Amino acid sequence: MGLVADTIGARRGMAACLLVTTLPILGMMYVQDATGFIVCRGLIGISLASFVACQAWVSVMFSKPIVGLANATAGGWGNLGGGITNLAMPFVFLAVRDSFAPGDDDAAWRLCFWLPALLHFGTGLATLTGRDLPDGNVDELELSGAKQKSRSDVVLKVGFSNLNGWLLCVLYGMSFGVELTVTNEAATYFFEYHGLSVKLAGALASCFGLMNLFARSLGGIASDWLGKRFGMPGRIWSLWISQALEGVFCCLLGLTTSGMALEEIPASNTAGRCVLLLSVFSIFVQMAEGGTYAIVPQVSRSALGVVSGIVGAGGNLGSVVTTAAFFASSDARTDDSFIKMGLAIVASSCLCALLYWPDEGGALLGPRALGRFNPQLVLPPEGYGGADVIDLSGFAKGAPATARSTVLSTVKLSESVSTASEYESSADAENGDGSKESAVAPAATQPCKLCSAELRSVLSSDAVEQALKGLALSPAELRHEDALDALRLESPGLSTDELRRRAMSAGGATDRSALELV
């Protein structure tokens, strides 16, 4: 999925995951044996890759100062969806059974799969209506020349050769992987150790997942806040502190009952304390997750999707490893396992000290502290841009007429570049006294009547800044050229010269100032 996000866009990857898995979800309604069940569950698992697409998509749609919060909120609410599903589906089952299959539990649970199938299908279609990048969709931007076409070989080599990405993979395994492990163990822990009913144990255990409502976003907020003040070292310290505290509270949860005999625990009235510790533990787990994906967009813009996929895979692998290492043995006590896992989390958090960016440094090292060492072992080719890099100079020769409205900002700016350059060349002629006349359009200060707010809204602020910086154009001069673009939208078959001639004729004049009168 990371490769898909980097080459054809995360939006399409996410939509494909959701739409393709609609069929195996419906297939669950018809399974008759274990083989069919396993096959359908395996195919449904493809949809898990939508998390990678989501994080890669958010990373290119939000700016650096707030990308931590954006990524954390999207990921946290995604995880929250699993908890809500566990809580809601029993009620859906009861409603379906009472309404459509009275007394037939087997038919009722099968019919329930219509709901997630419809949600997958509807969300997949809705995703297709989105936009790959703030400036437009990938294929249109590549066609118009604003974005270079991504190369699969470069993306894979660069993504898999970044040491920071692999360190974050391990760190995420000890946060999201731990979340999955605790989610599987918490209800059993409260039931077997504290003697609570199955329903109550499940409800209390759900507190761990419900922290996703806000806690993961807190990690993103903390990372963004420290990042604004201290740069990348601030983001790294935010992750380090969150993950270390995650391990501390995991240990405290286990220590609450570790010294007691199993038969003494139900009478110790420690269930409430354990729920509190579990909730605080969960907060730091989610904050560490949010802090991790606040750093991911800074690892490699040339292979953002691949790095996102590597780190995301580390989360699922972390669950397998922590479960096997601490909870698989039938002789191991769950509370003792919490202590051991907590110590492992604290130890793994020290990997943050190894995260390093040559230009910004790391948690303990300053910029260029390691000389010429670069954690990006394989560098992209010179001039190779990331999946979200837009280069307006690609429009110098004109954008193809097939570019649609989603790339209107770059098409408009390209016209501004060409016509303004032509005007500067003609206006910067020497006067009789040898001085040069300033290249300012006569109507530069006049507002353009054809430039509606809706039409101008497609111009991104970054794109405007690039145009102003490169050509010294004022916002008024850009509006001056917007009039021409407005006419082009109405008559796409006419050349630029013909559009300009008609605009001048309609205004009753023969110079550029007439554009504002059309």
Side-chain angles (χ1 to χ4, degrees):
M1 178 51 65
L3 179 62
V4 170
D6 283 327
T7 52
I8 67 172
R11 174 183 63 94
R12 291 178 176 176
M14 173 174 279
C17 279
L18 295 172
L19 294 175
V20 167
T21 51
T22 299
L23 293 177
I25 291 175
L26 291 174
M28 291 290 290
M29 301 171 58
Y30 303 100
V31 296
Q32 301 295 331
D33 52 31
T35 301
F37 184 84
I38 293 172
V39 170
C40 286
R41 283 294 298 268
L43 293 175
I44 292 172
I46 295 174
S47 64
L48 295 175
S50 62
F51 170 78
V52 175
C54 172
Q55 296 293 276
W57 195 10
V58 171
S59 295
V60 298
M61 292 296 287
F62 290 84
S63 61
K64 186 176 180 179
I66 61 169
V67 70
L69 172 60
N71 258 341
T73 303
W77 281 48
N79 291 343
L80 181 65
I84 293 177
T85 299
N86 286 332
L87 291 174
M89 287 309 292
F91 296 99
V92 172
F93 167 77
L94 294 175
V96 169
R97 185 186 62 180
D98 294 342
S99 301
F100 302 103
D104 191 346
D105 290 351
D106 182 69
W109 74 260
R110 294 174 185 275
L111 290 173
C112 287
F113 279 95
W114 272 106
L115 178 60
L118 289 174
L119 290 175
H120 264 238
F121 187 73
T123 307
L125 294 180
T127 301
L128 290 175
T129 66
R131 182 180 288 190
D132 293 321
L133 298 168
D135 294 289
N137 291 327
V138 169
D139 56 346
E140 297 165 346
L141 291 170
E142 290 177 347
L143 180 64
S144 61
K147 178 187 177 300
Q148 63 182 203
K149 190 171 182 63
S150 297
R151 291 170 47 188
S152 300
D153 58 330
V154 173
V155 168
L156 291 173
K157 291 177 182 178
V158 173
F160 279 98
S161 64
N162 193 295
L163 298 181
N164 287 330
W166 290 105
L167 289 172
L168 290 171
C169 174
V170 177
L171 289 165
Y172 195 61
M174 298 305 289
S175 56
F176 182 66
V178 167
E179 178 184 355
L180 296 178
T181 298
V182 175
T183 298
N184 291 331
E185 298 291 337
T188 304
Y189 170 68
F190 283 113
F191 173 71
E192 294 183 351
Y193 282 68
H194 293 275
L196 303 179
S197 66
V198 173
K199 291 183 178 179
L200 182 57
L204 294 178
S206 67
C207 294
F208 190 87
L210 291 176
M211 294 299 108
N212 276 295
L213 183 64
F214 66 91
R216 188 157 176 158
S217 297
L218 286 180
I221 292 172
S223 183
D224 288 339
W225 186 79
L226 290 173
K228 290 178 182 178
R229 285 154 181 79
F230 305 106
M232 185 54 66
R235 291 188 182 275
I236 297 173
W237 274 109
S238 174
L239 172 58
W240 196 343
I241 293 171
S242 298
Q243 194 132 337
L245 290 175
E246 169 196 340
V248 168
F249 278 92
C250 184
C251 290
L252 292 176
L253 175 62
L255 288 170
T256 303
T257 58
S258 179
M260 302 180 188
L262 292 179
E263 59 273 11
E264 296 175 356
I265 296 176
S268 65
N269 296 321
T270 55
R273 189 190 314 169
C274 288
V275 171
L276 177 61
L277 289 171
L278 181 70
S279 299
V280 178
F281 170 34
S282 177
I283 289 175
F284 287 113
V285 169
Q286 320 302 337
M287 288 186 66
E289 295 170 9
T292 301
Y293 266 93
I295 296 176
V296 166
Q298 326 300 332
V299 174
S300 174
R301 301 303 292 189
S302 299
L304 176 58
V306 171
V307 173
S308 298
I310 290 173
V311 177
N316 293 325
L317 181 61
S319 176
V320 176
V321 172
T322 52
T323 299
F326 305 114
F327 296 94
S329 175
S330 58
D331 298 329
R333 285 185 47 148
T334 302
D335 46 10
D336 289 340
S337 296
F338 280 137
I339 297 172
K340 295 175 182 178
M341 186 169 69
L343 293 174
I345 295 170
V346 174
S348 68
S349 70
C350 295
L351 291 175
C352 290
L354 301 180
L355 292 170
Y356 173 76
W357 278 256
D359 295 332
E360 300 187 69
L364 305 177
L365 299 173
R368 301 297 175 184
L370 298 181
R372 300 178 64 181
F373 172 74
N374 191 335
Q376 181 64 68
L377 302 181
V378 177
L379 297 176
E382 185 177 355
Y384 186 86
D388 61 333
V389 175
I390 305 300
D391 183 7
L392 296 176
S393 64
F395 288 91
K397 298 180 180 179
T402 52
R404 298 202 300 268
S405 60
T406 52
V407 289
L408 183 58
S409 60
T410 39
V411 172
K412 291 167 70 179
L413 282 173
S414 71
E415 185 62 31
S416 298
V417 170
S418 59
T419 54
S421 299
E422 294 170 3
Y423 186 78
E424 283 182 339
S425 300
S426 61
D428 284 343
E430 289 189 357
N431 292 326
D433 58 359
S435 62
K436 289 190 176 183
E437 187 176 291
S438 175
V440 178
T445 58
Q446 300 295 326
C448 172
K449 298 179 180 179
L450 288 178
C451 300
S452 65
E454 179 180 0
L455 190 61
R456 289 176 47 76
S457 67
V458 298
L459 278 167
S460 69
S461 59
D462 290 341
V464 173
E465 289 178 13
Q466 289 187 44
L468 294 177
K469 182 178 179 181
L471 297 171
L473 291 175
S474 69
E477 288 174 280
L478 281 178
R479 288 198 302 271
H480 190 80
E481 298 300 327
D482 282 350
L484 195 61
D485 289 323
L487 290 175
R488 182 178 292 105
L489 290 177
E490 296 177 0
S491 303
L494 298 179
S495 67
T496 299
D497 291 338
E498 178 64 15
L499 287 172
R500 185 179 288 113
R501 186 189 66 77
R502 294 193 180 190
M504 292 178 179
S505 299
T510 58
D511 56 26
R512 285 166 54 102
S513 63
L515 284 174
E516 52 118 8
L517 301 175
V518 179

